[in-house]
């Protein structure tokens, strides 16, 4: 397939591009800008190995619409989304939805006129009405709300413009090229010879290796053109408390990094988020030819290289 993939400079976007290319698909990755540095710059360098990168081509722009009308496309993989400061309670929900759907109808018409068979939209388990957990399944944040509203518009267009639509819902991916969040904090603290503290060990979440997630994504993307209407996948793997996951991560990293990896689980005082939010479709890694041991090896190697 010839696939137009947005959001390729992101952590998961890079891995999605890799998996799609590994399955023999031609991936074209329009990027919002052209000047990338640090971790995102490293991801863009990796992205160029597997995809044709088109710079200064934000979604819905005139350049993007021209690209959508060039040649024929089999699939639009809309992975990009306005994130900004996604933890900010003042996150601009309406502005993000407008950005995520800018000139969407025009883009879709251009692609459908040239034979596009469908769209894969990336969702989040932290948006409203996704995954499983404490009821009601509210959005975790204004950012999550923007993702859910973006999905509603895509679903409406799928039902009225009659194109196949797949929603791939992400929980908590981990792995090489990840933004410096929880796992990075643990690793950096261990490298300093200190003991990291987990402040919310009771939250039950759903962590998944990014290469497994990407393998599932590529298989799902291939299925969308063959499935009439709307389909969803909620990939799930390590469903456990964040305290249990921190201990799992420590056990896997200690021998590989050659350093002590203790963890302190604090008495949780922050209960502002739902206690449980997880995905629902357990992924059979072995069935997809994926190796859990290799995934942990790659994770440790990435952080070892980053520390040098």
């Amino acid at each position: 397939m010839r696939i137009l993939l947005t959001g390729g400079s992101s952590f998961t976007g890079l891995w999605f591009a890799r998996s799609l290319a590994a399955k023999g698909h031609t991936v074209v990755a329009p990027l919002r800008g052209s000047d990338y540095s640090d971790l995102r710059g490293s991801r863009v360098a990796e992205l160029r190995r597997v995809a044709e990168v088109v710079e200064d081509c934000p979604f819905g722009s005139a350049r993007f619409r021209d690209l959508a009308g060039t040649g024929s496309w089999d699939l639009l993989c809309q992975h990009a989304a306005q994130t900004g400061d996604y933890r900010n309670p003042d996150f601009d929900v309406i502005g993000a939805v407008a950005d995520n759907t800018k000139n969407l109808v025009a883009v879709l018409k251009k692609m459908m006129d040239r034979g596009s068979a469908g769209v894969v939209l990336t969702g989040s388990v932290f948006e409203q009405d996704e995954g499983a957990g404490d009821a009601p399944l509210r959005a975790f944040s204004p950012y999550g709300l923007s993702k859910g509203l973006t999905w509603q518009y895509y679903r409406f267009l799928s039902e009225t413009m009659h194109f196949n639509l797949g929603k791939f819902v992400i929980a908590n991916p981990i792995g090489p090229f990840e933004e410096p969040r929880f796992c990075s904090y643990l690793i950096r603290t261990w490298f300093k010879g200190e003991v990291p503290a987990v402040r919310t060990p009771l939250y039950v979440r759903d962590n998944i290796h990014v290469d497994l997630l990407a393998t599932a994504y590529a298989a799902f993307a291939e299925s969308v053109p063959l499935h009439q209407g709307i389909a969803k996948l909620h990939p799930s793997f390590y469903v456990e408390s964040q305290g249990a996951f921190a201990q799992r991560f420590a056990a896997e990293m200690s021998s590989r990094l050659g350093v002590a990896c203790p963890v302190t689980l604090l008495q949780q005082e922050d209960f502002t988020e739902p206690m449980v939010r997880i995905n629902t479709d357990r992924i059979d890694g072995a069935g997809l030819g994926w190796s859990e041991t290799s995934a942990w090896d790659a994770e440790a190697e990435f952080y070892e290289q980053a520390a040098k």
Side-chain angles (χ1 to χ4, degrees), residues 22-286:
K23 299 199 77 169
H25 303 300
T26 298
V27 180
V28 178
L31 301 182
R32 187 183 302 268
S34 58
D35 185 16
Y36 296 98
S37 59
D38 301 326
L39 180 59
R40 190 174 293 271
S42 298
R43 290 198 296 250
V44 170
E46 291 293 320
L47 181 65
R48 294 184 192 280
R49 297 174 184 269
V50 297
E52 176 189 343
V53 172
V54 182
E55 298 177 333
D56 298 317
C57 192
F59 185 83
S61 65
R63 191 171 190 200
F64 190 98
R65 298 197 300 277
D66 287 344
L67 178 62
T70 303
S72 61
W73 301 98
D74 296 292
L75 203 60
L76 168 63
C77 288
Q78 174 61 314
H79 182 61
Q82 181 59 255
T83 54
D85 182 3
Y86 69 96
R87 293 181 182 275
N88 190 334
D90 295 324
F91 182 87
D92 183 358
V93 174
I94 302 305
V97 174
D99 192 66
N100 296 342
T101 60
K102 184 177 181 180
N103 294 316
L104 176 57
V105 171
V107 170
L108 291 172
K109 283 183 176 178
K110 281 181 176 287
M111 297 188 72
M112 291 174 67
D113 286 346
R114 293 176 176 275
S116 177
V119 176
V120 177
L121 180 70
T122 302
S124 167
V125 77
F126 303 119
E127 61 187 74
Q128 63 274 28
D129 304 320
E130 284 299 352
D134 301 337
L137 293 172
R138 68 166 176 82
F140 271 47
S141 64
Y143 164 72
L145 180 60
S146 76
K147 293 281 290 183
L149 294 175
T150 297
W151 160 249
Q152 294 290 333
Y153 188 46
Y154 269 85
R155 187 174 70 177
F156 170 77
L157 292 179
S158 169
E159 293 167 345
T160 54
M161 294 176 68
H162 308 294
F163 60 85
N164 296 343
L165 175 62
K167 186 177 187 182
F168 189 82
V169 181
I170 293 177
N172 299 76
I174 61 168
F177 297 101
E178 182 181 0
E179 304 293 349
R181 292 192 283 257
F182 184 59
C183 292
S184 174
Y185 159 68
L186 295 176
I187 294 278
R188 285 185 285 106
T189 307
W190 289 327
F191 278 154
K192 289 190 291 187
E194 300 173 358
V195 180
V198 180
R199 300 183 182 281
T200 55
L202 300 182
Y203 282 153
V204 175
R205 297 293 183 260
D206 195 337
N207 294 283
I208 184 169
H209 292 279
V210 70
D211 58 342
L212 175 60
L213 183 76
T215 302
Y217 181 87
F220 179 70
E222 288 179 330
S223 74
V224 168
L226 308 175
H227 181 93
Q228 291 294 315
I230 295 173
K232 284 187 175 184
L233 186 70
H234 302 77
S236 172
F237 202 66
Y238 297 126
V239 175
E240 57 196 354
S241 71
Q242 286 298 78
F245 175 73
Q247 292 171 325
R248 176 194 297 276
F249 189 76
E252 296 291 347
M253 289 296 108
S254 182
S255 61
R256 289 174 169 85
L257 298 176
V259 298
C261 297
V263 174
T264 297
L265 306 183
L266 299 181
Q267 183 75 30
Q268 182 161 333
E269 298 178 351
D270 179 1
F271 294 95
T272 56
E273 295 183 352
M275 287 296 293
V276 179
R277 185 64 67 88
I278 59 176
N279 260 338
T280 52
D281 299 318
R282 170 74 180 184
I283 298 300
D284 177 7

